[in-house]
């Protein structure tokens, strides 16, 4: 038992992701201006802020869907991106990047499921094609994941026959099928109505209880307050404030944070 406890403590100190001095520009618009982000194993971080603050761009840079203009990105001590003294951004070689990309999963606003494949096929695809794993093992694990998502009876259904909430739960199962070290969620409920939002948030809350490492861009403030270890408020390409959820929501130190939360509560 002592060994197990030590293992848990070691994992808690393990840094899954480190992003340093991240800059990203679109034309003349500086979208990220020197962002630093460190994520430890088992940590749940919610990123909040107004539209255009750089939240989704930060996630897209972390998952290499966008290239950065300056900075460093490290996953589990493996440098994915560095910037030379001359200012040149250097991405790791293709083989190394392929391995690093297996450390994370990303759940989008839109579900991005393959419409011509069944739910089960959608979940099994990446472990079979990317990891070249045994089909029987992958299928067994995929069925367990679908059961966890409350979708065991939907394995043979197609995305068009599912509600938006069910499709998003399939997308979460698909991301988990790769056994990532960290899961990114980019406003996972923004395309859903309130009732379907609740069922997806329940799944994410359960993952948080299971100590899944997650970074969640969200506009669901009460959810962020309840589920997060840390909340980051972004505005204008900067991290304006971050800290414990009760501190950020209950007693924010920055005027901009106070203004955002006040205007948000007035809209809600």
């Amino acid at each position: 038992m002592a060994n197990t406890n030590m293992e848990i403590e070691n994992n808690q100190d393990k840094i899954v992701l480190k992003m340093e001095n991240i800059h990203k520009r679109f034309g003349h618009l500086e979208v990220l201006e020197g962002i630093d982000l460190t994520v430890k194993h088992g940590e749940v971080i919610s990123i909040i802020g107004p539209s255009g603050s750089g939240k989704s761009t930060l996630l897209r840079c972390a998952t290499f869907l966008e290239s950065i203009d300056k900075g460093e990105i490290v996953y589990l001590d493996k440098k994915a991106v560095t910037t030379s003294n001359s200012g040149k951004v250097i991405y790791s070689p293709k083989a190394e990047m392929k391995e690093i990309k297996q450390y994370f999963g990303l759940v989008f606003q839109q579900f991005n499921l393959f419409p011509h494949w069944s739910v089960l096929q959608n979940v099994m695809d990446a472990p079979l094609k990317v990891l070249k794993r045994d089909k029987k093992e992958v299928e067994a694990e995929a069925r367990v994941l679908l059961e966890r998502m409350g979708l065991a009876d939907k394995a043979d259904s197609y995305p068009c026959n599912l509600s938006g909430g069910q499709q998003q739960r399939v997308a979460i199962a698909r991301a988990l099928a790769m056994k990532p070290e960290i899961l990114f969620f980019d406003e996972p409920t923004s395309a859903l109505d309130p009732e379907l939002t609740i069922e997806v948030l329940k799944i994410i809350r359960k993952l948080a209880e299971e100590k899944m490492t997650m970074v969640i861009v969200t506009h669901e403030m009460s959810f962020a307050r309840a589920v997060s270890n840390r909340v980051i408020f972004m505005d204008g390409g900067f991290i304006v404030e971050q800290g414990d959820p009760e501190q950020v929501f209950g007693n924010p130190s920055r005027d901009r944070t106070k203004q955002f939360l006040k205007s948000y509560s007035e809209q809600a």
Side-chain angles (χ1 to χ4, degrees), residues 4-268:
T4 307
N5 289 338
M6 194 179 293
E7 235 174 74
I8 291 167
E9 282 174 24
N10 288 340
N11 271 341
Q12 284 173 341
D13 292 332
K14 182 169 76 172
I15 293 174
V16 180
L17 169 65
K18 193 168 189 178
M19 302 178 77
E20 288 189 337
N21 196 27
I22 303 299
H23 288 257
K24 178 63 184 177
R25 176 186 294 276
F26 293 111
H28 296 297
L29 181 65
E30 188 95 18
V31 182
L32 301 176
E33 301 195 41
I35 297 288
D36 293 327
L37 174 65
T38 299
V39 185
K40 290 185 177 179
H41 177 84
E43 196 172 19
V44 179
I45 297 174
S46 289
I47 303 178
I48 63 171
S51 297
S53 59
K55 308 183 300 294
S56 293
T57 300
L58 181 61
L59 253 60
R60 290 178 67 81
C61 288
T63 55
F64 315 122
L65 293 173
E66 296 284 357
S67 59
I68 63 173
D69 296 322
K70 184 182 178 184
E72 183 173 280
I73 301 175
V74 181
Y75 278 95
L76 298 172
D77 295 326
K78 290 192 184 214
K79 285 192 178 180
V81 193
T82 57
T83 302
S84 71
N85 291 334
S86 64
K88 183 182 179 185
V89 175
I90 304 161
Y91 280 76
S92 291
K94 193 175 179 182
E96 204 169 315
M97 285 299 286
K98 184 180 178 184
E99 184 185 343
I100 290 169
K101 285 177 180 178
Q102 291 169 25
Y103 293 150
F104 61 79
L106 175 60
V107 178
F108 299 88
Q109 295 177 35
Q110 302 300 330
F111 323 118
N112 289 1
L113 300 175
F114 293 110
H116 56 292
W117 285 355
S118 70
V119 163
L120 186 63
Q121 286 173 308
N122 267 282
V123 177
M124 290 175 62
D125 177 56
L128 289 176
K129 285 187 180 169
V130 178
L131 303 181
K132 312 293 183 190
R133 292 185 54 211
D134 177 76
K135 188 175 180 181
K136 283 185 180 176
E137 279 183 15
V138 170
E139 181 175 342
E141 288 177 9
R143 289 187 183 278
V144 169
L145 280 171
L146 289 174
E147 192 169 345
R148 281 174 67 192
M149 299 295 125
L151 296 168
D153 60 335
K154 302 293 183 184
D156 297 321
S157 300
Y158 286 83
C160 63
N161 300 128
L162 304 180
S163 71
Q166 289 170 331
Q167 289 187 60
Q168 192 61 293
R169 282 184 280 155
V170 174
I172 295 170
R174 179 182 58 184
L176 289 170
M178 288 293 283
K179 301 182 180 178
E181 291 278 347
I182 181 171
L183 262 186
F184 295 98
F185 292 86
D186 187 6
E187 299 202 17
T189 60
S190 65
L192 305 175
D193 64 35
E195 192 174 347
L196 299 180
T197 291
I198 289 167
E199 63 184 53
V200 171
L201 294 181
K202 272 184 189 173
I203 294 293
I204 300 174
R205 189 185 292 262
K206 193 184 294 183
L207 291 173
E209 289 167 3
E210 294 167 4
K211 302 300 179 188
M212 182 76 210
T213 309
M214 294 184 283
V215 177
I216 308 163
V217 168
T218 184
H219 57 272
E220 300 289 340
M221 299 299 151
S222 58
F223 170 74
R225 187 171 189 164
V227 82
S228 310
N229 304 111
R230 181 155 45 110
V231 173
I232 292 172
F233 171 63
M234 286 184 67
D235 189 33
F238 294 96
I239 290 177
V240 175
E241 182 164 0
Q242 63 179 309
D244 174 88
E246 291 310 311
Q247 178 258 307
V248 173
F249 286 108
N251 188 27
S253 60
R254 302 292 182 130
D255 288 341
R256 181 66 187 96
T257 316
K258 292 174 186 173
Q259 183 189 354
F260 171 76
L261 292 173
K262 183 173 183 286
S263 64
Y264 202 92
S265 63
E266 284 170 358
Q267 290 168 23

